[in-house]
Each structure stands twice: as structure tokens, then as C-alpha cells.
Amino acid sequence: MDKILLGMSGGVDSTVAAYILKEQGYHVVGATLDLLPESDGSIVESARKAAAQLGIEHHVLDMKDIFKRSVIDNFLTEYLHGRTPSPCVECNRCIKFGAMFDAAEEMGIDLIATGHYAKVVPDGGRYLLKKADCTEKDQSYMLYTLSQEQLKKTVFPLQSLTKEQVRDIARKAGLDAADRGDSQEICFIEDNDYIRFLTDNADKLPPSGEFVDTKGNILGKHQGIHRYTVGQRKGLGIAFGKPMFVVKVDAKSNRVILGEAGEEYSKSLYAVCTNFIPFDRPAEPFEAECKVRYGNKTYKGIVYPADGGVRVEFADKARAVTPGQSVVFYNGDTVIGGGIIEKAQ
């Protein structure tokens, strides 16, 4: 019987993942990642109850220090430098498929599983990452950083299910997690108010500065570059008499550049910290469907290898290409790879 370490939050997704794996004959060991220093313990308690109901072994892994260093501190640094981070991508890279893999190895467990909606498919000696069957819940965008070694040892039990099917399985199995609500968008920001979080946790916030248009004309005062992201229209704090969008956040000059409708679109981008899945590195340019934010539409483009990263030229301009976010490349339902957006043109 293969032993598998399953990340458990006590929610319906991870609980049903554990149930499916147990039904498939795995020896399931539940692991709850204790990430937040000020947690009320509800996640750990929910996971303990779920594991007890399923009759599986359960461990709590203290990862508060590495989570703070890798995810929270990065989140703060990025926003304070005028960038918009994607903490879930960083958490998957460093914690769920980094530190948890290390913990599994220490326990003598070869496989890990999570309740993510995505697929791993063997292909000619490599392992491919593909979209889940349920496109509305697909989370492959958040998983593009996985290595071949990680994909080889990862199982996604929910890969072919919809959310309602997951809840139906939980109800039929009599699991307490059946009607539990989904987790919040950013786990360490309880009310999703990132401005309050930055205000409470940053040593020093960026000062106010100038709003300027794309020609450099001063339009007014902004309240700190951490409050703005590319593509933003609402919450600028000034009425301009016409829709204006954030086109760029320039930390160096402490300016927020605004443009009229259409100017928030970009023809190309440069990305760094890239990872590719069907191959180690692209030997030549390739066509791809490019997603520049989670949940957003894809844009057709050509990906060119470049020093330290890749350059992407879009067939049509892409909206709100934002430094700090990830661009992920697809061929149909297969993830080719991705990287962190450094700048847009």
C-alpha cells in the first residue's frame, strides 16, 4: 500500500481528496500546515476532526517561520515597491510543494497530494501539468512552478470533479466538511483588505506622490504607490471627468501613471524566474495562449527566449499586464510554463 502525505485544511476539497485516496487504497497521512502566527486554531481543529472522521493519521507541521519569510515578507516587499504579488503562487512554490515535500521525505513518504483542481499526466518520460476538467475551478495557473521531480510525486484526486460533485461525495459519505465554505482569497489577510494589512505590518509606507498622464502632465496627488495596481480604475480618489486607468506604478519616481481607456493594454512583456514543464528551456520561440492573471482570459502570443527570462509578444494587446503577477503559457489544456512579469511594453 503506497503511503501518501495529503495537505489538509479541514475544508471540503482536502477532506474529499483524503476520502478518494483512501478509497483508492492509499495509506493516507494528513498534514495540516500551521502557517499563521495569530491563527485561532480553527483550521487545525477542523482538519483534526476530518482526519478522525476518516480514520487517518494526522500531523500538524509548523511552517510559520518559512511562510513569513517566503510569502508574507515577499508580499509586503513587492507592494511597497509598486508591484502586485501573487502570494498563492509563492506559497505553492515554497510551502505546499517545497517545505511539505521536505517533510514527506523526513517521514519516509514518497508521494504527496493536495485538493487542487489540476492534472498530472505522464508523457514520454516527463510529467505534464494540465488544466482540471472543471475549467471554472482550474488552478493550474497557480502551479506552473512545479518541477519534474515534484510532478512525478504529486497526486491531484479532484482533477476530474466539479465543486458540486465534490460536495455530493462529501454528503453521501457523511463527512462534516460537506457544506463548509470555501477558503478566503488570501489566507493571511482575514478580511481581504490588503491596504489595512500593509498599514498594520509594513515598517514604513510609501509617501504620497504625483498622478501623471502618459505624457508626463501632473494630474494630482496619489496616497502612496502601494494603493494602486495596473488596470485599476476605481478608488483613485480623484474625479477626472472621464474614465482613467492605472497604466504603470513607478516606484523610482514615486509616480502613478494614468491613461485613458485603452492605454492600460500592453503589446508585450518581459518575465523572469521562469519554469517550463514539457521541456527544460525553450530552444526557440513558440506560440502559446498566455494568461497574465489568475481567472483572466488568455491572449495569443509568441514567447521568445531572452537573457534571464522570456519576452512575450501578444497578437492583440493584453489588458493590465502587471509587474509581480505571473504570466502562464498554455497549449490547449497543457501548461507549458510561466514566469514573474518584470515589465510590460
Side-chain angles (χ1 to χ4, degrees), residues 322-336:
T322 308
Q325 290 285 294
S326 290
V327 56
V328 179
F329 313 122
Y330 291 86
N331 178 11
D333 66 348
T334 300
V335 177
I336 303 173

Side-chain angles (χ1 to χ4, degrees), residues 14 17 58 76 78 126 136 162 176 200-201 319 323 326:
S14 61
H58 180 254
L76 291 167
E78 288 284 88
R126 292 186 77 92
E136 291 84 2
T162 66
D176 293 341
D200 290 347
N201 291 276
R319 186 182 186 279
S326 290

Side-chain angles (χ1 to χ4, degrees), residues 67 202 210 220 276 299 310:
F67 186 76
E210 295 172 339
F276 296 94
Y299 298 90
V310 295

Side-chain angles (χ1 to χ4, degrees), residues 80-82 207 222 225 248-257:
L80 298 181
H81 286 83
H222 68 67
I225 59 172
K248 181 180 179 182
V249 179
D250 189 340
K252 190 173 181 179
S253 66
N254 194 33
R255 284 181 159 186
V256 175
I257 294 88

Side-chain angles (χ1 to χ4, degrees), residues 23-77:
E23 290 290 298
Q24 291 174 344
Y26 286 97
H27 177 161
V28 183
V29 178
T32 301
L33 311 183
D34 190 8
L35 305 175
L36 306 178
E38 298 178 2
S39 170
D40 60 5
S42 59
I43 291 176
V44 170
E45 185 58 27
S46 295
R48 276 201 181 112
K49 288 180 178 178
Q53 191 174 21
L54 290 164
I56 64 173
E57 186 179 341
H58 180 254
H59 298 267
V60 179
L61 306 181
D62 185 352
M63 295 190 178
K64 290 190 284 289
D65 288 345
I66 188 172
F67 186 76
K68 181 181 184 302
R69 292 195 311 271
S70 301
V71 181
I72 295 179
D73 288 351
N74 177 73
F75 182 88
L76 291 167
T77 299

